Amino acid sequence: MPRDLHPRLLRGFVATAEALHFGRAAERLHIAQQALSRDIRTLEGLLGTALFTRTTRSVDLTPAGQRLLPRVRRLLALHDEVLAEAGADVGARPLLLDLNSDVTGPDLTADRVLERARAAWPEGELLARFHGGLAAAAAELLAHRLDASFGRFAGLPASVRGRLVQLPVRLERISLMMADTHPLAGRPALCPADLVGHPVDICAGNPATTEWADLGTRLLREHGLTAADPYVPPVGVDETARYLARHGDPMLTTVGGPRIPGTVNVPLVDPVPLSLVSLVHRPDEHHPGLHALAGAAARLGAVEGWLRRPPGSWLPDADAALLPAG
């Protein structure tokens, strides 16, 4: 087997082989279906053979996949046994990381940092989880069921912030995602005056993302705008598309975020509102994977100016206070 064949890829293969359904296997692994599909393609590329036959109605193991399955099960069992006997030393166990989103996008901060960290630390294992918001992930961090997460740290309650630490990673530009039939969908950019009479969905109905709703509340209040009624939040690409088409309100998101069929993503300007994304973890967490993530974030940030604040931009004081001096 190739030397860079990671246990994460093998676990994804076993889960898919047992469920014979990518969606159910992804739920079992607590990852996005797109991430699982990507891992399966990577594994098939490394092995030089197809492991599954896929149609719109079914997923089945190929003969090669059938031969591989019992061997992979034995390999993972031995892997877990070795870790258990060694006391699952902190550097040997996987680092559990929440990516703060159940969908992927062309420029999502957490996805890019994770990809760079995995390349820089090939001997380790970084396992992605998707809790859908830093408020939910923070509870998992404090319960020691998660090692690190990304999100807006300033939006957490003070009692939670006091028990966690953060590393500023990126100032993301805020935008609005809306159905492509919305009256504002044809604009190249939107300023606050354009949104008068158009309530903005700040995901206030999602208890997992209260830090994001807090940012939306601050932004709308400062510019005299109205928040949309809170709804039960969608999960996944298809449900988000249906949600936006049904409710009609533009949803607060970020530039470079997920691509949803039937929608457009329009940046906000005059001023350009920003959200500070941080890498968040417990102060006693010393996993080497955390250092790999921090290093990856620093390298990307230095090259692309992730923490450079544009002139005349909007950022809450609580977020600005977290930025490094200078």
Side-chain angles (χ1 to χ4, degrees):
M1 281 188 171
R3 292 181 180 179
D4 57 352
L5 193 59
H6 290 177
R8 183 189 80 254
L9 305 179
L10 300 179
R11 288 194 180 97
F13 164 68
V14 171
T16 307
E18 292 176 347
L20 291 180
H21 190 283
F22 279 81
R24 287 194 291 271
E27 290 177 3
R28 170 177 158 184
L29 295 168
H30 304 288
I31 65 175
Q33 183 174 333
Q34 297 97 322
L36 175 60
S37 297
R38 184 169 59 242
D39 281 351
I40 294 297
R41 289 194 299 271
T42 298
L43 180 60
E44 290 176 327
L46 290 170
L47 297 178
T49 186
L51 301 175
F52 297 94
T53 57
R54 308 159 174 85
T55 71
T56 56
R57 295 179 178 272
S58 66
V59 175
D60 292 297
L61 281 166
T62 64
Q66 292 172 357
R67 291 192 298 271
L68 186 65
L69 181 58
R71 298 172 184 173
V72 171
R73 284 175 172 151
R74 291 197 299 271
L75 182 59
L76 288 176
L78 180 60
H79 174 271
D80 294 341
E81 179 183 335
V82 169
L83 288 183
E85 290 181 356
D89 142 283
V90 68
R93 69 171 175 81
L95 179 132
L96 301 181
L97 171 71
D98 178 52
L99 296 189
N100 207 259
S101 174
D102 60 347
V103 293
T104 59
D107 194 31
L108 290 179
T109 300
D111 286 26
R112 294 192 59 196
V113 172
L114 176 60
E115 180 181 19
R116 179 67 66 92
R118 281 174 170 164
W121 190 51
E123 69 276 15
E125 187 171 7
L126 301 169
L127 289 181
R129 296 290 188 267
F130 302 86
H131 290 95
L134 185 59
E140 297 296 299
L141 285 169
L142 294 176
H144 289 254
R145 292 190 292 265
L146 189 69
D147 298 318
S149 183
F150 288 91
R152 182 179 172 253
F153 186 76
L156 296 176
S159 59
V160 175
R161 295 198 307 272
R163 299 168 63 190
L164 297 170
V165 296
Q166 64 88 36
L167 173 71
V169 172
R170 188 179 190 182
L171 288 167
E172 293 187 331
R173 291 185 59 176
I174 295 175
S175 60
L176 289 176
M177 181 165 54
M178 66 193 77
D180 55 17
T181 56
H182 192 280
L184 299 177
R187 307 282 186 92
L190 293 167
C191 64
D194 297 323
L195 300 176
V196 174
H198 296 280
V200 176
D201 189 339
I202 59 173
C203 303
N206 190 353
T209 59
T210 54
E211 78 287 348
W212 183 251
D214 173 76
L215 179 71
T217 298
R218 293 170 182 267
L219 176 63
L220 298 184
R221 183 194 307 136
E222 185 160 328
H223 294 93
L225 301 174
T226 304
D229 293 335
Y231 305 112
V232 176
V235 176
V237 171
D238 292 341
E239 290 303 310
T240 300
R242 294 189 187 97
Y243 176 94
L244 289 169
R246 178 180 180 85
H247 295 294
D249 299 316
M251 179 187 289
L252 204 67
T253 184
T254 56
V255 173
R259 291 173 175 166
I260 307 294
T263 72
V264 294
N265 191 322
V266 184
L268 295 176
V269 295
D270 299 328
V272 173
L274 303 172
S275 171
L276 176 61
V277 176
S278 295
L279 176 62
V280 182
H281 58 90
R282 294 181 302 277
D284 61 349
E285 182 57 72
H286 303 294
H287 195 291
L290 190 61
H291 300 297
L293 290 166
R299 287 189 291 275
L300 283 167
V303 172
E304 300 184 20
W306 276 5
L307 291 175
R308 190 180 305 126
R309 184 174 176 180
S313 56
W314 177 91
L315 184 70
D317 291 341
D319 298 72
L322 299 175
L323 291 171

